[in-house]
């Protein structure tokens, strides 16, 4: 592994937060925007760990909820770098809600967040290469390359 490369495992993050009444509507459902903000924060930490730089969100792919999140749930965000370009990184974030009294966990959604590393003047800067350690890392990287190609094609239109 070269000095300018980092393995997926070096920047992986698990972040959890209990949902409270201020996170939710009067019916007890947590606002989707709160979940999105926390997912973006998790992606940002992973991107900063990987690049060693300040990072900003450039794009979010498909943030669709499969199940609700309620007040009292412990929401866990599992985030890791899937792919790196020259200055950007795709971070995958899996979101799970847990009912702490029963331990029942529900996968509420997964999303892919494109982060860009910035230099001290706020301009995009190159990021370290990504070392793929496992078959799962390689699968996620292959799928991320396909999404990167699709993003570039959308941008051309």
């Amino acid at each position: 592994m070269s000095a300018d490369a980092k393995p997926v495992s070096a920047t992986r993050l698990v972040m959890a937060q209990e949902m409270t009444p201020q996170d939710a509507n009067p019916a007890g459902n947590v606002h989707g925007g709160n979940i999105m903000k926390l997912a973006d924060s998790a992606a940002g930490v992973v991107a900063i760990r990987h690049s060693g730089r300040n990072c900003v969100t450039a794009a979010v792919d498909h943030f669709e909820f499969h199940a609700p999140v309620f007040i009292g749930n412990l929401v866990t965000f599992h985030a890791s770098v899937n792919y790196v370009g020259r200055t950007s990184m795709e971070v995958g974030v899996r979101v799970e809600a847990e009912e702490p009294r029963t331990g029942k966990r529900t996968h509420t959604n997964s999303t892919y967040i494109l982060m860009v590393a910035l230099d001290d003047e706020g301009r995009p800067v190159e990021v370290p290469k990504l070392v793929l350690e496992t078959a799962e890392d390689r699968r996620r990287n292959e799928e991320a390359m396909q999404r990167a190609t699709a993003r570039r094609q959308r941008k051309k239109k």
Side-chain angles (χ1 to χ4, degrees):
M1 174 171 29
S2 71
D4 64 338
K6 287 188 180 176
V8 173
S9 63
T11 59
R12 190 170 280 130
L13 174 74
V14 178
M15 181 176 89
Q17 184 162 327
E18 181 184 29
M19 296 293 102
T20 63
Q22 62 259 32
D23 297 315
N25 64 26
N29 292 58
V30 172
H31 295 289
N34 289 11
I35 302 298
M36 294 170 79
K37 181 181 184 304
L38 290 166
D40 188 50
S41 293
V45 169
V46 168
I48 291 167
R49 281 179 168 176
H50 183 80
S51 67
R53 300 289 191 152
N54 286 329
C55 296
V56 294
T57 305
V60 177
D61 284 359
H62 200 77
F63 211 106
E64 180 178 325
F65 289 90
H66 307 295
V69 177
F70 300 105
I71 293 171
N73 284 167
L74 180 66
V75 179
T76 306
F77 301 83
H78 302 267
S80 62
V81 177
N82 291 336
Y83 168 82
V84 298
R86 193 175 66 76
T87 63
S88 65
M89 300 149 279
E90 182 195 271
V91 179
V93 182
R94 178 184 169 92
V95 184
E96 295 177 348
E98 178 185 336
E99 197 339 290
R101 291 172 294 175
T102 65
K104 180 181 181 225
R105 292 184 181 171
T106 304
H107 173 222
T108 64
N109 67 290
S110 293
T111 190
Y112 305 103
I113 301 177
L114 188 67
M115 306 296 292
V116 174
L118 303 176
D119 66 15
D120 293 337
E121 284 77 45
R123 293 184 300 257
V125 63
E126 287 192 36
V127 298
K129 304 285 186 233
L130 185 63
V131 178
L132 306 171
E133 303 169 292
T134 66
E136 178 72 6
D137 291 347
R138 288 185 284 282
R139 179 191 65 78
R140 292 169 65 92
N141 181 258
E142 179 62 37
E143 291 171 1
M145 286 191 290
Q146 294 170 9
R147 285 187 295 274
T149 299
R151 275 188 218 102
R152 284 190 293 275
Q153 290 173 346
R154 284 193 307 266
K155 198 171 183 179
K156 286 180 183 179
K157 290 182 181 180

